[in-house]
Amino acid sequence: MVALHQRANDYARFLPAINGNFARFTRKSASTHKRPLPAGLTAEQFDFLDPGGLFYYPWALYTAAEGVNDTQPTMVSHRDRRTSFVLGDSGGYSLISGSVKESIDTFRERSLRWIETNCDVGLPVDVPTRAIDAQPDAWTFRKCLDATLHNTDYAVADACAGTHLLAVYQGRNHREARDWIAEMKTRRMWGIALGGHTRLDFWFWCKAIKVLIDDGFLDHIRHIHVLGTTEPGVAVLLTALKRALRSYLKRDDLEVTFDSSRAYRITQAYGQVTLGLKLGMAGNSGADNAFDFRSFTFPQQGGKVNRAAQFPFDSPLGRLCTIGDLMPAVSPAVPAFDAVGSNLLSHHETYMELSAIEQANLLCDMDQKQGSLVPWHIQEGVRAIHHLFQTGDAIHFNHRKALLQHYNKGSLESGFDDFR
């Protein structure tokens, strides 16, 4: 068993956003699978929240959009709360995308009850500002904000004692984010969750969080979560924010987390897997496009691989399997991966993403003065975040604006899906 979390207690925590297929897969009996699992493995060994799994990583996110309708055991509903942590997403994005087909008033109550029963920290049902683009006839910025405020107040008033909830902040630009902050900041909750188009803008949000702390609105927080990203560079900057805030607030238990469903949505849909952390040099530092994932995409139709060959990529699962264990299809007329194979591939991908993110953090911690593999925008971003909270020097911070907005700019220009 490999424990991926032991070196990373002061790193920002990546929460794999598991989907319902995988959550249920880990609790299915052998007789319900259409074929045997490889290498004599049992379904429970694919549950990474369990210390007895093929690898152990006790952190994850699961959405109420799946959880409230689960009628079968899952790795969330049947986990050991003493050895794992699950953040419950509210399912707000699923509401606007049409995946949840019930009224907000009905769903918010079911979402809250599910979070109380199954999760350690949760989000009230928010209406993301992406709804304005997805359903322009139904939503405006004001409607998104009002609905989220209403649902937040409902959750705070109706939650059982001891329920830990995060206030969700949205906005498609700085003006909307500031307007959202102005009205949400008075809700004193366990912490905050950052969504919307600005969520990766470290120049904006580091300053905003510091002001909110200094003004007495967030001086109590215990948790900050960033919705929908799996960028290793973002992970390193969030680690810097976590360390800076722990020092600034003198609270060693403050947590910073981020999530992505990439290993379950993209991997299962397209057969795309991570090979490791992309590295490269430009002068005396890492290249601007380094600290991304190197990826490989498997054939989508059967009959195009040597099924008897060893699975070509190393992981606790990969080293036990042949290609055919994951891609059993013989005919090119059918998908290469069946339900079992898709879930096995997600398990492998989760491990690879976690390993690449840990490597990025370790490389940054090495702090090499010559020939660092860490891109310059990350090196300077990390230093700027610490300097801001140590000195309050906004001028120094503002001079590094472009570097601190590197990932936000990239996501806007490329139209990246946030994998939420």
Side-chain angles (χ1 to χ4, degrees), residues 291-409:
F291 272 35
D292 197 354
F293 291 131
R294 293 184 296 115
S295 64
F296 173 85
T297 302
F298 285 98
Q300 292 298 286
Q301 298 305 120
K304 295 184 178 181
V305 296
N306 177 5
R307 289 181 300 282
Q310 174 71 32
F311 187 74
F313 307 123
D314 186 65
S315 71
L317 173 63
R319 64 186 67 122
L320 299 176
C321 294
T322 65
I323 293 177
D325 288 331
L326 282 81
M327 306 172 69
V330 177
S331 170
V334 298
F337 291 93
D338 60 0
V340 169
S342 291
N343 283 304
L344 298 186
L345 196 65
S346 286
H347 184 273
H348 165 80
E349 172 65 10
T350 301
Y351 178 86
M352 293 305 296
E353 290 179 15
L354 288 165
S355 298
I357 289 168
E358 182 180 57
Q359 183 184 4
N361 275 297
L362 288 169
L363 285 170
C364 190
D365 276 350
M366 289 172 64
D367 195 24
Q368 289 181 290
K369 305 304 181 185
Q370 297 291 323
S372 173
L373 288 168
V374 181
W376 180 249
H377 65 269
I378 296 176
Q379 294 183 53
E380 276 297 282
V382 167
R383 287 191 279 265
I385 290 168
H386 282 288
H387 187 78
L388 175 68
F389 283 94
Q390 288 169 357
T391 70
D393 185 354
I395 295 176
H396 174 278
F397 195 75
N398 288 339
H399 284 165
R400 286 143 184 83
K401 178 178 179 180
L403 301 175
L404 290 158
Q405 291 182 323
H406 177 88
Y407 292 103
N408 193 66
K409 180 181 178 182

Side-chain angles (χ1 to χ4, degrees), residues 6 18 26-27 29 60 73 90 109 127 131 144 169 177 198 226 229 281 302 316 320 332 343 407 420:
Q6 292 177 343
I18 55 180
T26 63
R27 286 298 182 273
S29 63
S90 68
E109 196 275 334
V127 179
C144 291
Y169 287 73
T198 68
V226 177
T229 182
M281 294 293 293
L320 299 176
N343 283 304
Y407 292 103
R420 187 178 176 194

Side-chain angles (χ1 to χ4, degrees), residues 259-275:
D259 77 273
S260 170
S261 63
R262 175 190 177 114
Y264 306 91
R265 187 147 65 90
I266 301 303
T267 294
Q268 292 189 3
Y270 304 109
Q272 179 179 302
V273 293
T274 294
L275 301 183

